[in-house]
Amino acid sequence: DAKTTQPNSMESNEEEPVHLPCNHSTISGTDYIHWYRQLPSQGPEYVIHGLTSNVNNRMASLAIAEDRKSSTLILHRATLRDAAVYYCILRDYGQNFVFGPGTRLSVLP
Amino acid sequence: NAGVMQNPRHLVRRRGQEARLRCSPMKGHSHVYWYRQLPEEGLKFMVYLQKENIIDESGMPKERFSAEFPKEGPSILRIQQVVRGDSAAYFCASSPAQGTNYGYTFGSGTRLTVV
């Protein structure tokens, strides 16, 4: 399985942008990059995914490096509700999602 | 448009009893996945099912655990003769297909406590 590396934890101030990094140096050409988050006492929630190009949706932006060996999830204005564990996952066809430890994001008021 | 529905939300069982966890996938989704999250640990894949078929059960413990997804009705994760180590949050997810461009929609989980 292709692996990802994320910082264990990060802090942000409310209403400031947050950049959550993910390294995936062994990514294959057919791996999609998915981001999920898990709020306390909830199931994981889809955030965004992409293959090669940067992606934007109402929740976040995904910036993918040109060599695809890293990516960054960008929350444009963090709110208290964004405090969660964020998972960066590589997934190829036929594979199930494999969750690592993720990054625990704390948002300070 | 209801999401993935899991019930019960909380389940308490005594050691040796059976636990039955139910999952109704999103409308139009025929692929169901079960994950387990032990306290302070990450999510671990257990089993992947399509209607009436188990596709991948590589993460299921060999004994006491079974899963089904019948033609009609919800998917069921069944744990026989529960032990304290089975205490965890069990999450179900569904998707419309298995391709890489399809994400999973997760339910809110069932928290099993074995006393």
Side-chain angles (χ1 to χ4, degrees):
Chain A
D1 289 345
K3 298 273 193 256
T4 63
T5 305
Q6 299 178 254
N8 290 333
S9 62
M10 290 184 65
E11 267 187 7
S12 172
N13 293 318
E14 198 176 7
E15 299 192 3
E16 289 187 357
V18 182
H19 290 232
L20 295 162
C22 181
N23 288 320
H24 29 79
S25 58
T26 59
I27 191 170
S28 74
T30 51
D31 281 329
Y32 275 76
I33 303 161
H34 293 255
W35 282 82
Y36 280 75
R37 70 179 185 181
Q38 187 174 20
L39 278 66
S41 300
Q42 298 286 326
E45 175 186 30
Y46 168 81
V47 178
I48 201 166
H49 77 285
L51 183 62
T52 56
S53 305
N54 294 343
V55 185
N56 300 295
N57 65 22
R58 64 175 179 81
M59 287 181 70
S61 296
L62 176 61
I64 302 173
E66 198 168 331
D67 63 4
R68 300 210 326 127
K69 293 185 184 300
S70 65
S71 60
T72 303
L73 179 69
I74 302 165
L75 307 179
H76 295 287
R77 284 183 69 214
T79 69
L80 296 178
R81 195 197 172 276
D82 291 321
V85 178
Y86 286 79
Y87 300 99
C88 170
I89 306 168
L90 301 184
R91 181 171 179 242
D92 199 351
Y93 186 85
Q95 292 182 346
N96 299 306
F97 282 100
V98 177
F99 288 80
T103 296
R104 184 173 298 275
L105 175 67
S106 302
V107 180
L108 306 176
Chain B
N1 184 19
V4 175
M5 303 302 292
Q6 289 189 250
N7 66 79
R9 285 298 304 273
H10 299 275
L11 182 62
V12 179
R13 284 287 178 265
R14 296 187 184 279
R15 279 178 295 170
Q17 291 185 320
E18 179 179 286
R20 282 180 163 249
L21 289 62
R22 294 175 188 78
C23 169
S24 296
M26 280 191 72
K27 188 176 180 180
H29 287 193
S30 59
H31 299 246
V32 165
Y33 313 84
W34 285 92
Y35 284 75
R36 177 167 67 173
Q37 187 168 36
L38 294 167
E40 303 303 321
E41 292 191 17
L43 289 119
K44 302 296 182 189
F45 167 78
M46 298 182 75
V47 62
Y48 159 37
L49 310 103
Q50 289 184 45
K51 282 288 187 182
E52 300 184 274
N53 292 304
I54 296 175
I55 307 302
D56 180 355
E57 56 181 348
S58 57
M60 285 274 272
K62 294 285 184 268
E63 296 178 350
R64 302 186 297 110
F65 285 72
S66 63
E68 63 177 11
F69 188 17
K71 188 176 180 181
E72 302 290 338
S75 176
I76 306 286
L77 179 67
R78 184 180 174 208
I79 311 172
Q80 294 178 290
Q81 299 175 316
V82 295
V83 301
R84 287 239 171 94
D86 296 333
S87 295
Y90 292 82
F91 293 98
C92 169
S94 71
S95 72
Q98 178 62 346
T100 48
N101 208 26
Y102 293 98
Y104 293 179
T105 301
F106 282 83
S108 297
T110 293
R111 278 148 189 84
L112 172 65
T113 302
V114 179
V115 297

